[in-house]
Amino acid sequence: MIVLGLETSCDETASAVVDAERGILSNIVLSQLEEHRPYGGVVPEIAARSHLTFIDRLITQAMAEAKITFADLDGVAATGGPGLIGGVIVGTMSAKAIALARNIPFLAVNHLEAHALTARLTDRVAFPYLLLLASGGHCQLLAVEGVGTYRRLGSTIDDAVGEAFDKVAKMLGLGYPGGPAIEQAALSGDARRFALPRPMKGKPGCDFSFSGLKTAVRQAAENLPSGPFAPQDLADLAASFQQAVVESIASRVNNALKAFSASHPQGKTLVVAGGVAANRALRGALQELAEQAGLSFVAPPHALCTDNAAMVAWAGIERLRLGLIDPLDFKPRPRWPLEEGLSRSAIPAITMS
Ligand code: KG4
Ligand code: ZN
């Protein structure tokens, strides 16, 4: 079984071919970073136009690198939401066109589901598992019970964690995207220099909050001597912020591990996904927590944690195997909570052939 996947929900145009034996036959990601950098964040209109400009040649390239033709495809999957709607329309329209022309199944993949299932592509992780999804747009803890069955244990009540990294980096003049810049600056910083809050730490439940921490960083920065930031001040502030984020997340994951182990005693794995999963301080803390709880820890390689189309193609394969294909009048969804799972208008594969 071979599936072509397309990802266009944010600022990466991506196309990949994956097979059911977990072979990634091609995986191409075209970042729009340079187009958005002058604005310090993603501009939806620019993103949509760029997806439209590049999607066709990315598909051609992914097919060529995989050394297959459209006749070899068993399905075509595209991110159907949630995300910036202009981009999602470009991806789903392209996938539907191929599905219609080749008379093969179309699969509308929830972007969060694609992140959630990546660990099964890379590490064959068995259901159920506990997932921390930490990206620029999302921060959630989910019990992943099966394809289409996700139970949310907690989510952010304000900013997503990657968004907090990006906003703090912008505040400190470290550029966009902020996560890698803060991690780099923190390497030479003292994480104890600034006493920043650890939002939600020690509180019951698994929800996150980062906006108070962001404000505290702003206040700490304002109290520094005026003028451009001194490199050591910047490094210490970055390190203190990163440490506060890690401790805050660790507290929430710790509660989630307890709740997950009680409700899913057969669960053996803690998985992290999303762009923030690249952060080494966070990975280290999660690894430790998983070990303490007697679970193994899986973090997919960085290139498959950030937005990519291999994860979309793989989610397509998982859904196709269950006959969960989508009609060609599927409407792209700017919002699409994962818990809706199987309740959408999925129809058995047999009616499409
Ligand atoms: O998953 P992703 O590529 O796109 C979304 O779906 O949001 O995540 C991008 C986010 C950005 O906010 C970026 O700053 C953050 O992931 N990020 C990091 C690191 N690398 C990327 N955050 C912390 N540390 C990193 N090393
Ligand atoms: Zn993402």
Side-chain angles (χ1 to χ4, degrees):
M1 186 186 281
I2 300 181
V3 168
L4 168 70
L6 307 179
E7 161 58 40
T8 53
S9 67
C10 192
D11 59 344
E12 265 100 22
T13 315
S15 171
V17 177
V18 173
D19 69 25
E21 281 71 52
R22 295 178 168 76
I24 299 176
L25 308 185
S26 61
N27 185 23
I28 300 162
V29 181
L30 184 67
S31 171
Q32 303 173 356
L33 202 58
E34 294 313 321
E35 290 173 73
H36 299 290
R37 203 191 290 282
Y39 307 96
V42 179
V43 184
E45 180 65 20
I46 293 176
R49 283 170 191 272
S50 187
H51 288 306
L52 196 55
T53 304
F54 291 108
I55 191 75
D56 284 355
R57 60 189 96 157
L58 246 73
I59 293 171
T60 307
Q61 201 182 334
M63 297 293 290
E65 279 189 22
K67 298 190 176 63
I68 59 165
T69 68
F70 286 109
D72 299 314
L73 289 177
D74 296 290
V76 52
T79 296
L84 299 173
I85 195 63
V88 177
I89 290 172
V90 171
T92 49
M93 287 298 289
S94 307
K96 285 176 184 179
I98 295 168
L100 185 65
R102 301 303 317 182
N103 194 24
I104 54 175
F106 162 69
L107 305 124
V109 168
N110 182 311
H111 180 83
L112 306 178
E113 176 169 59
H115 277 303
L117 298 176
T118 302
R120 289 170 53 77
L121 166 65
T122 58
D123 293 81
R124 297 174 178 262
V125 175
F127 296 126
Y129 52 92
L130 177 64
L131 173 77
L132 168 66
L133 178 55
S135 73
H138 304 277
C139 190
Q140 305 185 351
L141 277 156
L142 298 156
V144 181
E145 297 174 345
V147 177
T149 320
Y150 309 94
R151 223 162 285 283
R152 191 160 65 179
L153 303 179
S155 62
T156 182
I157 58 169
D158 40 56
D159 292 347
V161 58
E163 193 181 349
F165 270 97
D166 293 337
K167 285 181 179 168
V168 164
K170 196 172 179 180
M171 212 185 283
L172 301 180
L174 286 170
Y176 173 82
I182 290 205
E183 182 171 15
Q184 183 60 32
L187 288 176
S188 48
D190 174 5
R192 289 159 307 176
R193 160 120 179 251
F194 296 94
L196 299 172
R198 272 70 173 142
M200 311 298 255
K201 186 175 173 183
K203 295 209 177 124
C206 306
D207 284 341
F208 303 84
S209 168
F210 298 103
S211 81
L213 174 58
K214 189 183 63 193
T215 308
V217 173
R218 175 173 289 122
Q219 283 164 350
E222 282 167 1
N223 287 334
L224 290 169
S226 57
F229 294 112
Q232 195 56 53
D233 290 343
L234 209 57
D236 293 345
L237 205 42
S240 300
F241 166 72
Q242 180 174 270
Q243 181 65 22
V245 169
V246 169
E247 282 184 35
S248 172
I249 292 182
S251 141
R252 319 318 292 154
V253 172
N254 201 25
N255 288 355
L257 279 164
K258 286 185 188 136
F260 176 73
S261 295
S263 58
H264 299 81
Q266 70 283 38
K268 299 266 180 292
T269 320
L270 169 66
V271 173
V272 64
V276 185
N279 189 283
R280 274 158 292 199
L282 180 62
R283 282 186 187 230
L286 295 174
Q287 170 97 47
E288 214 168 287
L289 283 173
E291 276 168 18
Q292 281 164 13
L295 267 63
S296 46
F297 174 62
V298 169
H302 185 200
L304 294 174
C305 275
T306 52
D307 288 349
N308 66 88
M311 69 178 187
V312 177
W314 174 254
I317 285 175
E318 294 251 37
R319 298 190 71 83
L320 187 55
R321 285 200 289 223
L322 298 172
L324 298 169
I325 69 172
D326 292 277
L328 291 180
D329 64 357
F330 169 88
K331 289 184 188 57
R333 302 185 54 170
R335 294 181 178 279
W336 188 356
L338 249 191
E339 297 87 327
E340 278 179 36
L342 290 171
S343 66
R344 65 186 182 169
S345 61
I347 53 172
I350 196 160
T351 60
M352 279 289 286
S353 58

Coordinates of all heavy atoms in Angstrom, one line a residue, residues 111 115 135-137 162 165-166 177-180 183 274-276 278-279 305-307, ligand 1:
H111 N -4.4 17.4 11.1 CA -3.0 17.6 11.3 C -2.5 17.1 12.7 O -1.4 16.6 12.8 CB -2.8 19.2 11.2 CG -1.4 19.6 11.4 ND1 -0.5 19.6 10.3 CD2 -0.7 20.1 12.5 CE1 0.7 20.1 10.8 NE2 0.6 20.4 12.1
H115 N 0.5 14.3 13.6 CA 1.6 14.4 14.6 C 1.5 13.2 15.6 O 2.5 12.6 16.0 CB 1.5 15.7 15.4 CG 2.1 16.9 14.8 ND1 3.4 16.9 14.4 CD2 1.6 18.1 14.4 CE1 3.7 18.1 13.9 NE2 2.6 18.9 13.9
S135 N 3.7 22.2 20.0 CA 4.1 22.9 18.7 C 3.8 24.4 18.8 O 3.5 24.9 19.9 CB 3.4 22.3 17.5 OG 2.0 22.7 17.5
G136 N 3.9 25.1 17.6 CA 3.7 26.5 17.6 C 2.2 26.8 17.8 O 1.8 27.9 18.3
G137 N 1.3 25.9 17.4 CA -0.1 26.2 17.5 C -0.8 25.4 18.6 O -2.0 25.6 18.9
G162 N 5.1 26.6 21.8 CA 6.0 27.1 20.8 C 5.8 28.6 20.6 O 6.7 29.4 20.3
F165 N 7.7 30.5 23.1 CA 9.1 30.6 22.7 C 9.2 31.7 21.7 O 10.1 32.5 21.8 CB 9.6 29.2 22.2 CG 10.2 28.3 23.2 CD1 9.4 27.3 23.7 CD2 11.5 28.4 23.6 CE1 10.0 26.4 24.7 CE2 12.1 27.6 24.5 CZ 11.3 26.6 25.1
D166 N 8.3 31.7 20.7 CA 8.4 32.7 19.6 C 8.2 34.1 20.1 O 9.0 35.0 19.7 CB 7.4 32.3 18.5 CG 7.7 31.0 17.8 OD1 8.9 30.6 17.8 OD2 6.8 30.4 17.2
P177 N 12.1 31.5 13.7 CA 11.3 31.1 14.9 C 12.2 31.1 16.2 O 13.4 30.9 16.2 CB 11.0 29.6 14.5 CG 12.1 29.2 13.6 CD 12.6 30.4 12.9
G178 N 11.4 31.3 17.3 CA 12.1 31.6 18.5 C 12.7 30.4 19.3 O 13.7 30.5 20.0
G179 N 12.1 29.2 19.1 CA 12.5 28.1 19.9 C 14.0 27.8 19.7 O 14.7 27.7 20.7
P180 N 14.5 27.5 18.5 CA 15.9 27.2 18.3 C 16.8 28.3 18.8 O 17.8 28.1 19.4 CB 16.0 27.0 16.8 CG 14.6 26.7 16.3 CD 13.7 27.4 17.3
E183 N 16.9 28.2 22.6 CA 17.7 27.0 23.1 C 19.2 27.3 22.9 O 20.0 27.0 23.8 CB 17.3 25.8 22.3 CG 18.1 24.6 22.8 CD 17.6 23.2 22.3 OE1 16.8 23.2 21.3 OE2 18.0 22.2 22.8
G274 N 5.7 17.4 17.7 CA 5.5 18.8 17.5 C 6.9 19.5 17.5 O 7.9 18.9 18.0
G275 N 7.0 20.7 17.0 CA 8.3 21.3 16.8 C 9.1 21.5 18.1 O 10.3 21.4 18.1
V276 N 8.4 21.8 19.2 CA 9.1 22.0 20.5 C 9.7 20.7 21.0 O 10.6 20.8 21.8 CB 8.1 22.6 21.5 CG1 8.8 23.0 22.8 CG2 7.4 23.8 21.0
A278 N 11.8 19.3 19.6 CA 13.3 19.4 19.3 C 14.1 19.8 20.5 O 15.3 19.6 20.5 CB 13.4 20.3 18.1
N279 N 13.5 20.5 21.4 CA 14.2 21.1 22.6 C 14.9 20.0 23.5 O 14.2 19.2 24.1 CB 13.3 22.0 23.4 CG 14.0 22.8 24.4 OD1 14.4 22.3 25.4 ND2 14.2 24.1 24.1
C305 N 9.3 15.6 13.6 CA 8.5 16.2 14.7 C 7.9 17.5 14.2 O 6.8 17.9 14.5 CB 9.4 16.5 15.9 SG 9.6 15.2 17.0
T306 N 8.7 18.3 13.4 CA 8.2 19.5 12.8 C 7.3 19.2 11.7 O 7.2 18.0 11.2 CB 9.3 20.4 12.4 OG1 10.2 19.7 11.5 CG2 10.1 20.9 13.6
D307 N 6.6 20.1 11.1 CA 5.6 19.9 10.1 C 6.2 19.2 8.9 O 7.2 19.7 8.4 CB 4.8 21.1 9.7 CG 3.9 21.5 10.8 OD1 3.7 20.8 11.8 OD2 3.3 22.7 10.8
Ligands
KG4_1 O1 5.3 21.6 14.8 P1 5.8 22.9 14.2 O2 6.9 22.8 13.2 O3 4.7 23.8 13.6 C1 3.5 23.9 14.1 O4 2.6 23.0 13.8 O5 3.3 24.8 15.0 O6 6.4 23.7 15.5 C2 7.0 25.0 15.4 C3 7.3 25.5 16.8 C4 7.7 27.0 16.7 O7 7.0 27.7 17.7 C5 9.2 26.9 17.2 O8 9.7 28.0 17.9 C6 9.2 25.7 18.0 O9 8.3 24.8 17.4 N1 10.5 25.0 18.2 C7 11.2 25.0 19.3 C8 12.5 24.4 19.0 N2 12.5 24.1 17.7 C9 11.3 24.5 17.2 N3 10.9 25.3 20.6 C10 11.8 25.1 21.5 N4 13.0 24.6 21.3 C11 13.4 24.2 20.1 N5 14.6 23.7 19.8

